[in-house]
Amino acid sequence: MFIFIFLSLWTPLVTGREEGGTGCEEGVGKQCHPSLPPPCPSGSPSAQPWTHPDQSQLFADLSREELRAVMSFLTQKLGPDLVDAAQARPSDNCIFSVELQLPPKAAALAHLDRGSPPPAREALAIVFFGRQPQPNVTELVVGPLPQPSYMWDVTVERHGGPLPYYRRPLTLREYLDIDQMIFNRELPQAAGVLRHCCSYKQGGRNLVILTTAPRGVQSGDRATWFGVYYNISGFGVYLHPVGLELLVDHKALDPAQWTIQKVFFQGRYYESLAQLEEQFEAGRVNVVVIPNNGTGGSWSLKSQVPPGPAPPLQFHPQGARFSVQGSRVTSSLWTFSFGLGAFSGPRIFDVRFQGERLAYEISLQEVLVAYGGNTPVAMVSHYMDRGFGLGKFATPLTRGVDCPYLATYVDWHFLLESQAPRTLHDAFCVFEHNEGLPLRRHHSDAFSHYFGGLVETVLVFRSVSTLYNYDYVWDVMFHSNGAIQVKFYATGFINAVFHFGAARRYGNQVRENTLGTVHTHTAHYKVDLDVGGLENWVWAEDMAFVPTAIPWSPEHQIQRLHVTRKQLETEEQAAFPLGGASPRHLYLACKQKNKWGHPRGYRIQLLSIPGEPLPQNSPLERAVSWGRYQLAVTQRKETEPSSSSVFNQNDPWTPTVDFADFINNETIAGKDLVAWVTAGFLHIPHAEDIPNTVTVGNSVGFFLRPYNFFDEDPSINSADSIYFREDQDAGSCEVNSVACLPQVAACAPDLPAFSHAGFSP
């Protein structure tokens, strides 16, 4: 049973406890509590017959020990030319990343379902080979863990050939070298105009640069537009453009050969910063002076009012009703394993309801943020966040804000651009949440008098990624009726540019000289449903009004509502274009039938109003061709593990993965199927996005709902259900469990001290 409790700053929960059960505060405002409630129990729930603790590590991300073992093995095998990725220049060899290589599904299921030995644990390493005549990017599979003895080059097998070096993601070292080039070598050439507009001081750090992507206009390019912003401490720098944007060509392996190809300043283009300065000295540049002080406290996330009474708090009066062991979550209804792809983001595996598997995998694949505007930074920005790292940019969860205070928090270990593993503390949280509304209820005043209902509680798995300015909250929610909800929220800062000319065609002005630029947020998910087994069929159902003569009055007609049903046979039939017509009900079903003769199925219900997809004649479109479809169902293949790639961002013109190739008219009848789901929304920034975009109204996702999978609603037998009749005493514990709360909830939750995992160096 879940309880809401309101904790004020003066409740007994924050006063001292002394031996003998008396807590007193001395001095002014002394308060004594001679009979403080006992602490709430903290025990874990009893094990369910369908749980398998020994299987919890099959999908677990690599441990620190495993990461060290892989790094040591690769260092030995790849030779002395390896350089620490944190210090590596483009002309060096370095290990960029190491993460879990997911096991083949067949081997995983053989272990999970038939007791076969577990598949070997393996790692996937991305290595940059810059110190050779033909630099390239190589993918290596290393195993078995924890004591590796082999490594396989899988680059050609997976990608059809070596990966061109210009597709590699930028390292922090490359960003720092670009930063040094701009501030030490280039900006001094325009010192006069920058002092006039932007309080520039050579050697000072009141300005910062922000990147864009993609980097160029064709395959082989590595030229990035960088915007220059005020570095106002404690404020979102993204809201303070000064109107200067620089196109940096950084393709050369030697940073000394990098150049600035073009300059944009407050509405006009120049060939170089030296030309801008020359034009300024000649009086031919109309400079808008940008104040270097923000616009007051309203631009900070620090509230201008003192703290008030504490907000409501949820706690477990009889102990938590779920447990987290390693990467495995178990409750009275649900079990699943979780992880975080360094680039792809959060993912869950082996999802079971009451012991029966519903999904093998539900995972984020990619996020596209496409901007528009009349400055180069705004018009070129089409961020494919996998290329930056949706796991790499995960942030620690702040207790009591990002997740409920008493949630269970779990760390994540990773090895990215480093020689040693690191730990992101509190990277995930798991909690059970009282939604404050009934899952179902009925109050009967007709024929007979009774009330029956069930409070809606959900089990939630959450993580957060902060991709520079935007923060994404990733949720998977498990309901007691067998439904799964997948949802993401967008918050953080908008990315603003200098306001000039016809700027309002591309957004709204949000401060002096500042445009909030129009953009889309679009996420793509892989949903590997196994409904009643591996062999599934796709059904589309909808409605139609059919004119029908009234049987008892044949001279009149009615429009009778019918259900239309169609089994979809091919991948083309099950690929529904974004913005186009699609069936209102689409579900995957097995050959088994429920008690009433219907195929047992799970429906995919979209809750999304995405922006327009990128036109197919765009040179970038193939890199995000998944965005053509609101939903597509394909045969599951080990050779099609993901709809995108970490390498698509820096070469979208010849993408490493083109999702449209997955849809090739193969049969989907009686096959192991994957549903690929797009969720997103259009964001036109407005005044209320300052200082921060809020999550309210900025969330989308989809449901996976049982559709004739059961014979009745499985929540009918929930232990949380209540039912009482008119002739019963609803205030009796024997009749109504909610009536017991004054007794069972008469305890104080054990609140751990607040802690924050800190910030990246």
Side-chain angles (χ1 to χ4, degrees):
M1 194 69 62
F2 250 152
I3 305 297
F4 267 113
I5 181 169
F6 188 82
L7 295 180
S8 77
L9 296 177
W10 295 98
T11 59
L13 298 178
V14 294
T15 59
R17 281 201 180 105
E18 298 180 358
E19 282 193 46
T22 300
C24 294
E25 295 291 335
E26 298 294 339
V28 178
K30 174 181 176 181
Q31 297 192 2
C32 295
H33 306 279
S35 57
L36 286 173
C40 296
S42 58
S44 297
S46 57
Q48 301 296 328
W50 52 77
T51 59
H52 305 279
D54 60 316
Q55 298 170 357
S56 64
Q57 296 306 301
L58 191 60
F59 304 104
D61 292 322
L62 300 182
S63 67
R64 292 180 67 93
E65 292 72 25
E66 289 173 322
L67 290 168
R68 287 194 192 97
V70 172
M71 196 66 182
S72 175
F73 180 78
L74 287 175
T75 300
Q76 291 178 346
K77 293 294 183 180
L78 297 179
D81 289 341
L82 278 180
V83 175
D84 182 355
Q87 303 301 325
R89 296 296 170 85
S91 56
D92 292 323
N93 297 342
C94 69
I95 299 170
F96 177 65
S97 65
V98 176
E99 63 176 326
L100 175 69
Q101 169 64 38
L102 292 170
K105 183 176 180 179
L109 293 183
H111 171 62
L112 292 172
D113 298 344
R114 298 187 293 279
S116 297
R121 272 179 71 77
E122 296 178 323
L124 177 66
I126 296 177
V127 184
F128 296 170
F129 287 105
R131 191 177 180 181
Q132 58 186 42
Q134 294 295 326
N136 68 68
V137 179
T138 297
E139 291 187 338
L140 300 173
V141 169
V142 178
L145 301 179
Q147 297 178 320
S149 60
Y150 61 78
M151 69 177 187
W152 311 116
D153 185 339
V154 296
T155 316
V156 174
E157 172 191 336
R158 295 184 177 182
H159 306 297
L163 287 166
Y165 201 50
Y166 52 77
R167 291 187 189 176
R168 72 193 187 281
L170 267 69
T171 62
L172 177 59
R173 177 73 261 170
E174 188 169 356
Y175 280 120
L176 292 175
D177 286 344
I178 293 170
D179 183 271
Q180 185 177 41
M181 165 204 170
I182 289 174
F183 283 96
N184 293 354
R185 192 178 85 192
E186 298 294 336
L187 290 190
Q189 298 181 44
V193 64
L194 295 179
R195 277 194 298 267
H196 184 66
C197 81
C198 318
S199 306
Y200 170 74
K201 295 179 182 178
Q202 189 169 346
R205 297 301 295 183
N206 71 317
L207 299 175
V208 294
I209 57 171
L210 298 178
T211 189
T212 64
R215 309 180 190 282
V217 294
Q218 61 186 358
S219 290
D221 285 352
R222 201 172 181 84
T224 305
W225 277 101
F226 287 88
V228 180
Y229 293 72
Y230 272 134
N231 184 19
I232 302 176
S233 179
F235 290 69
V237 299
Y238 319 96
L239 303 176
H240 300 281
V242 301
L244 178 64
E245 299 176 6
L246 307 171
L247 179 58
V248 178
D249 185 340
H250 50 111
K251 182 179 179 179
L253 300 186
D254 180 2
Q257 298 178 25
W258 295 349
T259 61
I260 288 184
Q261 293 185 321
K262 192 73 70 174
V263 173
F264 172 88
F265 181 71
Q266 296 188 350
R268 293 181 60 188
Y269 290 89
Y270 302 87
E271 294 303 313
S272 65
L273 284 164
Q275 185 192 37
L276 169 61
E277 181 76 355
E278 178 185 324
Q279 295 284 315
F280 170 72
E281 294 293 344
R284 292 194 288 269
V285 179
N286 294 321
V287 178
V288 176
V289 177
I290 311 293
N292 185 20
N293 58 2
T295 54
S298 65
W299 289 83
S300 170
L301 297 187
K302 182 178 180 181
S303 175
Q304 300 302 299
V305 300
L313 172 75
Q314 289 194 2
F315 71 101
H316 302 85
Q318 295 178 299
R321 307 196 303 183
F322 67 91
S323 65
V324 180
Q325 297 180 327
S327 67
R328 190 75 174 165
V329 177
T330 303
S331 76
S332 62
L333 296 174
W334 293 96
T335 60
F336 62 92
S337 295
F338 64 86
L340 187 67
F343 305 106
S344 59
R347 54 198 184 190
I348 60 173
F349 297 93
D350 194 22
V351 182
R352 305 188 190 205
F353 181 75
Q354 295 181 330
E356 183 172 7
R357 182 179 299 112
L358 303 178
Y360 179 77
E361 175 184 358
I362 303 173
S363 58
L364 181 64
Q365 297 292 298
E366 181 65 279
V367 176
L368 171 67
V369 187
Y371 282 86
N374 60 347
T375 81
V377 161
M379 70 178 73
V380 305
S381 291
H382 289 70
Y383 297 109
M384 302 166 206
D385 286 338
R386 187 174 184 141
F388 293 89
L390 289 155
K392 178 182 179 181
F393 282 93
T395 63
L397 300 172
T398 300
R399 184 182 294 272
V401 178
D402 293 327
C403 304
Y405 199 91
L406 290 170
T408 297
Y409 294 82
V410 183
D411 298 343
W412 180 57
H413 309 296
F414 62 97
L415 202 158
L416 299 164
E417 298 186 46
S418 174
Q419 287 186 316
R422 290 178 287 172
T423 298
L424 177 65
H425 296 289
D426 302 340
F428 313 99
C429 71
V430 182
F431 58 94
E432 193 178 7
H433 182 66
N434 186 322
E435 296 278 79
L437 81 164
L439 175 65
R440 51 175 176 78
R441 57 97 69 191
H442 184 66
H443 184 281
S444 177
D445 270 332
F447 308 113
S448 60
H449 298 157
Y450 62 89
F451 175 83
L454 173 64
V455 64
E456 166 74 308
T457 61
V458 294
L459 182 66
V460 182
F461 167 67
R462 176 175 293 170
S463 63
V464 174
S465 303
T466 300
L467 279 300
Y468 296 100
N469 57 310
Y470 265 112
D471 299 62
Y472 293 107
V473 181
W474 310 107
D475 274 3
V476 185
M477 294 172 276
F478 303 87
H479 297 258
S480 55
N481 69 328
I484 302 169
Q485 184 177 4
V486 180
K487 190 174 185 179
F488 80 88
Y489 307 78
T491 178
F493 288 98
I494 62 170
N495 201 3
V497 297
F498 181 75
H499 184 286
F500 79 98
R504 295 195 181 192
R505 294 179 183 174
Y506 310 101
N508 290 307
Q509 185 170 353
V510 294
R511 67 176 289 244
E512 194 71 23
N513 304 309
T514 304
L515 176 72
T517 50
V518 61
H519 56 279
T520 62
H521 295 275
T522 313
H524 202 228
Y525 289 90
K526 178 181 183 180
V527 182
D528 184 356
L529 286 173
D530 288 343
V531 182
L534 297 181
E535 295 181 356
N536 286 171
W537 286 258
V538 182
W539 287 89
E541 294 186 349
D542 214 316
M543 55 174 277
F545 284 102
V546 179
T548 306
I550 300 176
W552 60 92
S553 184
E555 68 274 19
H556 298 97
Q557 278 194 343
I558 60 171
Q559 293 288 334
R560 182 159 54 174
L561 186 60
H562 283 219
V563 174
T564 63
R565 291 188 175 95
K566 181 181 180 181
Q567 182 187 317
L568 306 183
E569 301 285 348
T570 66
E571 292 175 337
E572 267 74 7
Q573 290 179 355
F576 300 99
L578 196 66
S582 63
R584 291 174 176 85
H585 281 209
L586 186 136
Y587 61 96
L588 271 62
C590 60
K591 59 185 175 183
Q592 306 163 16
K593 293 184 174 8
N594 72 357
K595 180 178 180 180
W596 315 113
H598 298 290
R600 300 178 71 212
Y602 254 75
R603 178 187 169 197
I604 303 169
Q605 181 179 351
L606 307 183
L607 300 173
S608 174
I609 310 177
E612 294 292 323
L614 199 62
Q616 291 187 34
N617 60 5
S618 165
L620 311 178
E621 194 273 341
R622 288 177 54 214
V624 290
S625 59
W626 51 264
R628 299 177 191 176
Y629 310 99
Q630 55 186 309
L631 173 64
V633 181
T634 66
Q635 277 194 35
R636 187 194 185 278
K637 298 178 181 178
E638 290 292 340
T639 55
E640 297 174 348
S642 179
S643 61
S644 188
S645 167
V646 64
F647 306 112
N648 276 18
Q649 175 70 91
N650 288 344
D651 187 12
W653 307 280
T654 311
T656 303
V657 174
D658 181 351
F659 174 75
D661 292 341
F662 293 12
I663 302 171
N664 52 11
N665 213 32
E666 292 182 301
T667 180
I668 53 172
K671 301 295 183 179
D672 188 5
L673 303 178
V674 173
W676 306 89
V677 182
T678 301
F681 62 93
L682 170 67
H683 188 189
I684 305 174
H686 44 89
E688 292 79 10
D689 283 308
I690 304 302
N692 234 194
T693 293
V694 298
T695 56
V696 174
N698 292 314
S699 61
V700 291
F702 57 95
F703 275 104
L704 304 173
R705 298 175 54 187
Y707 192 76
N708 290 317
F709 189 80
F710 304 102
D711 297 333
E712 62 181 358
D713 173 17
S715 77
I716 194 65
N717 294 315
S718 169
D720 294 339
S721 296
I722 69 166
Y723 174 86
F724 51 83
R725 300 187 308 270
E726 181 183 32
D727 60 349
Q728 293 179 304
D729 179 8
S732 166
C733 282
E734 287 73 23
V735 173
N736 171 16
S737 59
V738 174
C740 302
L741 290 180
Q743 288 77 46
V744 301
C747 61
D750 184 13
L751 300 181
F754 178 84
S755 61
H756 184 265
F759 301 91
S760 299

